[in-house]
Amino acid sequence: DEMGITEIAIVIGHLGETIREYFGDGSRLGVSLRYVENTDLEKGLAYSIYLGGRTLGGPFCMMLCDECYFGSNHADLGTLQLDDALGICVGQRVDDQSLIERNYAVYKDGSRIVRLVEKPKHVDNDIMGSGTFLFHSRLIPLLERALARSESGYVEFVNFLGGLVESGERLDYFELEGTYVNINDRDSLQQARYHERSRRFDEKRVDLLIYSQGDEENVAFTVDRYREAPEIHGVTLVVPAENSVEEQITDPNVRVIRCPEECVQYGEKIRYAPERMDGDILILTEADYSFPVRDTTKLLAYLREADMVVGTRT
């Protein structure tokens, strides 16, 4: 959206139908999507780029699907012209050399790239190449010839680009701003999830659900303590059909949900209440004040990178 792209080709392979079913034709996203199937996955990334790129009529942006960008300057990338360059490589300066080792190193002179090294064993610069590029359409015939010359049909894409640079082709550099995450393991997936949720986490509505057995004597105390927490926007008390605690709640801002008589078991009542609540984030606690109000901050801190956080009575 930031780059003004309205037409996207997605190269799919293993489990590609899952991707096709999820995104459809792209109309709900405001773009036109079409799918290009790669039935020879062993030929690698270069072959996928060739398959997708040959369906396009002009310059195109290429992005790898396992990378996430947060607060980036991709909008500026969309305004650039290739002129006589074969393409533009997007990179970022990093202080963690292991990131470059897992991706590729970029060496440049001014804005012009002079060398690319895929997964370098020895890192002697601080520019990590990303999986975002702008390419002129003439990349496709060059890539086609390289694939045809390969006995196995496999071409290592970054090395291919590096060879073109060494032969005199012009590849320019674009400095990426913002946060970049290459998702290649469970930890990086959690990191991407953390950055995504952190962007608007403070805008989420946090509701507290207090579970009552129906006979606690200090429910009002528990409610009052949690009402003091600034991060909690709403407090709901769930009680069984027959209870002696409902009358303790005099605060009009506290909602009481009384379960029907057939809703007896703990899990049944816990499920009944959230289906009638509107919060984005739900914190569950007990009416006997087993967990102090200060614990809510700890739970929310961990929730930025998890789907559920469980507290224990340690």
Side-chain angles (χ1 to χ4, degrees):
D1 185 43
E2 291 183 357
M3 296 177 64
I5 294 175
T6 58
E7 183 180 352
I8 300 174
I10 301 179
V11 182
I12 57 176
H14 179 59
L15 297 179
E17 284 305 311
T18 302
I19 298 174
R20 192 195 298 265
E21 291 173 5
Y22 182 82
F23 289 108
D25 62 1
S27 56
R28 66 184 175 88
L29 301 174
V31 296
S32 174
L33 290 180
R34 68 174 182 275
Y35 300 88
V36 180
E37 187 172 3
N38 181 357
T39 57
D40 294 310
L41 296 178
E42 69 279 359
K43 292 184 179 180
L45 173 62
Y47 184 62
S48 291
I49 296 172
Y50 165 70
L51 292 177
R54 68 180 182 177
T55 68
L56 305 173
F60 61 95
C61 175
M62 193 276 285
M63 300 182 70
L64 298 183
C65 65
D66 61 351
E67 297 187 339
C68 284
Y69 303 93
F70 306 96
S72 71
N73 54 336
H74 275 74
D76 296 335
L77 181 63
T79 66
L80 301 182
Q81 299 295 322
L82 289 173
D83 297 326
D84 62 341
L86 176 66
I88 297 174
C89 170
V90 175
Q92 188 174 47
R93 295 188 181 275
V94 297
D95 55 10
D96 184 354
Q97 292 187 345
S98 67
L99 294 175
I100 301 177
E101 292 171 353
R102 292 198 298 267
N103 293 276
Y104 63 96
V106 178
Y107 299 83
K108 67 185 186 70
D109 182 6
S111 63
R112 186 163 181 168
I113 292 175
V114 296
R115 185 168 160 240
L116 297 174
V117 180
E118 171 71 6
K119 293 181 173 57
K121 294 182 179 180
H122 174 68
V123 177
D124 55 4
N125 79 335
D126 63 347
I127 302 180
M128 175 196 68
S130 78
T132 295
F133 302 85
L134 284 184
F135 286 124
H136 192 281
S137 57
R138 63 187 178 88
L139 172 80
I140 301 306
L142 295 173
L143 192 52
E144 182 178 22
R145 286 198 289 272
L147 290 165
R149 289 195 298 266
S150 171
E151 293 183 1
S152 64
Y154 176 83
V155 171
E156 208 303 310
F157 185 64
V158 172
N159 290 340
F160 163 73
L161 290 179
L164 292 178
V165 169
E166 292 175 4
S167 67
E169 287 285 358
R170 177 180 161 189
L171 193 64
D172 289 341
Y173 174 77
F174 177 84
E175 184 83 20
L176 177 69
E177 297 176 1
T179 301
Y180 160 90
V181 181
N182 184 354
I183 302 177
N184 48 32
D185 54 27
R186 187 184 298 270
D187 288 341
S188 56
L189 176 60
Q190 292 298 94
Q191 182 184 1
R193 179 176 294 165
Y194 170 80
H195 288 297
E196 170 60 24
R197 289 183 176 174
S198 293
R199 290 196 303 163
R200 297 184 176 89
F201 195 82
D202 293 338
E203 300 174 10
K204 302 295 184 182
R205 175 181 171 86
V206 180
D207 280 354
L208 175 74
L209 175 61
I210 301 176
Y211 172 80
S212 170
Q213 295 277 16
D215 56 2
E216 295 89 352
E217 297 180 356
N218 60 344
V219 171
F221 169 82
T222 300
V223 169
D224 289 343
R225 293 290 77 75
Y226 279 108
R227 287 279 293 155
E228 296 173 356
E231 61 268 21
I232 295 176
H233 301 100
V235 174
T236 297
L237 177 71
V238 59
V239 298
E242 295 185 8
N243 70 88
S244 60
V245 301
E246 199 170 344
E247 60 186 23
Q248 298 182 40
I249 307 304
T250 58
D251 188 337
N253 294 314
V254 177
R255 181 183 179 190
V256 178
I257 295 180
R258 185 189 306 139
C259 295
E261 292 184 358
E262 63 272 16
C263 190
V264 177
Q265 301 299 324
Y266 179 89
E268 292 175 329
K269 289 180 281 187
I270 291 299
R271 180 176 179 179
Y272 182 83
E275 292 176 343
R276 288 153 180 81
M277 298 171 66
D278 301 322
D280 303 302
I281 296 171
L282 175 64
I283 298 178
L284 171 65
T285 192
E286 305 287 332
D288 60 1
Y289 202 58
S290 300
F291 298 95
V293 66
R294 65 179 182 274
D295 285 345
T296 58
T297 302
K298 305 171 190 176
L299 297 172
L300 291 171
Y302 281 104
L303 194 64
R304 291 175 183 260
E305 55 182 317
D307 295 320
M308 180 174 69
V309 182
V310 180
T312 61
R313 290 190 179 94
T314 50

